[in-house]
């Protein structure tokens, strides 16, 4: 079994903790118990608790299952959709290497 511990930068950990809190709030707004969500997502209750705490070692698939149960699976599609920095970096590397159109030489008749 793989017992590697995932170590995140503090900023990443804070974001993951906020993500977990948002999932918990979404569950509570839907008036679903932790047991109900865990059963529907086919994960254990402790795994759901870890997700809601933002523990970094939880598999991405478990997060996806919980989002699906809550009807929020399409939120995953929003991740990195508007990658402003990535687009700027990509555009900076694109060099325009087009030649001017060749002159048309008229054939003598």
């Amino acid at each position: 079994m793989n017992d590697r511990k995932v170590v995140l930068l503090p900023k990443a950990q804070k974001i993951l903790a906020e993500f977990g809190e948002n999932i918990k709030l979404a569950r509570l707004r839907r008036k679903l118990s932790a047991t109900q969500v865990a059963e529907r997502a086919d994960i254990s209750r402790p795994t759901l608790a870890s997700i809601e705490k933002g523990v970094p070692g939880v598999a991405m698939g478990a997060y996806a299952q919980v989002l699906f149960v809550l009807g929020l699976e399409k939120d995953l599609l929003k991740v990195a959709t508007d990658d402003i920095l990535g687009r700027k970096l990509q555009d900076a590397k694109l060099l325009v290497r087009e030649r001017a159109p060749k002159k048309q030489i008229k054939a003598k008749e």
Side-chain angles (χ1 to χ4, degrees):
M1 188 168 271
N2 190 357
D3 290 333
R4 277 190 320 168
K5 186 171 181 166
V6 179
V7 180
L8 294 179
L9 295 172
K11 189 173 183 177
Q13 180 57 52
K14 185 177 178 181
I15 289 170
L16 197 55
E18 186 176 338
F19 183 45
E21 182 66 21
N22 290 346
I23 289 173
K24 182 177 182 177
L25 292 172
R27 175 179 64 79
L28 293 173
R29 283 191 292 269
R30 287 160 178 73
K31 300 190 185 319
L32 293 171
S33 72
T35 303
Q36 288 173 314
V37 172
E39 286 176 358
R40 292 177 188 178
D42 196 27
I43 60 174
S44 69
R45 172 68 185 85
T47 299
L48 178 61
S50 294
I51 288 171
E52 291 181 349
K53 290 177 186 171
V55 175
V58 179
M60 188 67 192
Y63 277 93
Q65 283 293 103
V66 170
L67 290 172
F68 182 79
V69 168
L70 298 174
L72 299 171
E73 68 277 3
K74 291 190 178 179
D75 284 2
L76 280 175
L77 297 175
K78 295 178 183 175
V79 175
T81 55
D82 193 21
D83 185 13
I84 296 169
L85 175 61
R87 288 175 196 255
K88 285 181 181 178
L89 291 171
Q90 181 184 31
D91 291 345
K93 289 184 180 179
L94 295 178
L95 299 176
V96 178
R97 293 188 179 203
E98 289 186 40
R99 299 177 113 188
K102 291 185 179 180
K103 291 183 180 179
Q104 299 266 337
I105 300 175
K106 293 185 182 180
K108 292 184 180 180
E109 294 177 25

